[in-house]
Amino acid sequence: MSVTMVIGAQWGDEAKGKVVDLLSQNADITARFNGGDNAGHTVINDYGTFKLRLTPNGFSNPKTTCIIGPGVVVNLSTLIVELQMIKDAGIDLRDRLWISPRCHVVMPYHPIVEAIYELAKGNASTGTTGRGMGPVYADKVSYNGIRLADFQDLQILREKLQVQLHVKNALFKAFNQELLDPQKVLEEKQEQYSQVQSMIREPFGLVQQALRDDAVILLEGAQGSLLDNTWGTYPYCTASTTLSGGVTAGLGIAPQHIKRVIGVTKAYTTRVGRGPMPTELKDSIGQVLQNEGKEFGTVTGRPRRCGWFDADLVSFTARINGFTEIALTKLDVLDTLPKIKIGIGYHPFGHKGILAHYWDGDAHWLEGYEPEYIEVDGWMQSTRGMTQFDELPLQAQAYVHRIEQLVETRVSIVSVGPERNATIMV
Ligand code: GDP
Ligand code: IMO
Ligand code: MG
């Protein structure tokens, strides 16, 4: 049981960072395999509070090797700031971080291309984090990307950059954007590359040896399953594969090695950005969830939309990822509510009948459907910081069991506060 994955079961920000930090204490390797600096994973541990964008958790454990796998897209500016932040906290990561040279690089033109599209789409915009994710992955799959490996040969890098800016500057001109100077971009990125060059080395061999040694490997998913580029609420989704299956290409681990897949889900639902969210609450209860849960985006600071737990969605993500267990987070945020609802499926507005499921339709379809709910009793007392399941009020225990039953997956971790020790191992 050496390889464990931690995957977001909803629309991101489920507290994957906390769960990975918790499990990383005896990990030999922790790795990111998808997404980029659109991620913001909060960790509160003995060294302080960190909001990590690219570095995998496990960074605070001197025995853990951290890997940024080839499926991740790297913004060098973000990485440099993040490594400095970690260093300032007294943690030496240099010899423990491996970054794949296969990683594509977010170039200065990617966020500009993204902004042009978002503006052109108007009300149909995705509401991205503005980190250039769509364009950098689009360049990757259309053979126009620049990888870290390209920085090893200045001539290759210069030629690739010239082609890209030839095309991108034509677009910028058409949309009245400032043009980018190839030489300036080259110098800026080269200088940044030189700061992290010593950490760029392919981790494939290291990972394969770790598998042979039955080492403890922890894989940290970014974003959430409902933001997956294929199975999420397209086009209100992200650019990478966010599902457990993404690790095979994103890190180079064959599927049979993955023995444990932990789906992280909040005890309610949140979403940042646009797109359907059937159980969204636009009333005072939504406000309670937002205030109590401090629901503001880690990367952009945008308020997160809040709503009831949607069991149909998490049941879907449990199946598609093969969750072997669930980490149920932020249960304490529900502490003051007298009644709690859970969505269990959808029906068209005004038509009751057979319930439809998430996978029956697309994002547009989901906008036109409303959830069917069941209602359960709240517990109306603080669960904050509890460490034993039996300590939880009976209604809270019943709520956890109801979720297990609806999602057909065992809850193995309950989180009742942001701190490491505000955790119940069930
Ligand atoms: P991630 O992207 O999945 O790692 O999640 P984020 O870090 O973006 O957002 C989760 C937020 O919830 C962070 O601010 C955490 O500190 C906080 N948090 C994590 N677990 C709990 C919990 O059980 N209760 C409360 N109240 N906050 C939590
Ligand atoms: P973590 O890893 C929550 C959302 C954006 C937007 C959509 C597309 O912290 O859970 P993108 O910038 O990826 O092109 O934006 O995806 N999004 C996230 N929402 N948590 C995240 O990451 C997210 N990463 C992207 O808000 O709706
Ligand atoms: Mg986050």
Side-chain angles (χ1 to χ4, degrees), residues 11-14 16 38-41 114 126-134 221-224 227 236-239 271-274 298-299 302 304:
W11 277 292
D13 301 329
E14 300 91 345
K16 298 175 291 293
N38 51 345
H41 296 178
E114 178 175 313
T126 296
T128 66
T129 61
R131 311 304 303 165
M133 293 297 118
Q223 288 75 56
L227 289 170
Y236 307 101
C237 61
T238 191
R271 163 160 217 176
V272 225
R274 300 172 71 101
T298 311
V299 175
R302 291 177 292 176
R304 295 177 185 142

Side-chain angles (χ1 to χ4, degrees), residues 285 308 334 336-341 375-380:
I285 302 178
W308 297 120
L334 304 179
T336 59
L337 300 177
K339 293 281 176 194
I340 300 170
K341 289 187 183 181
E375 190 176 76
V376 299
D377 290 333
W379 41 94
M380 305 282 283

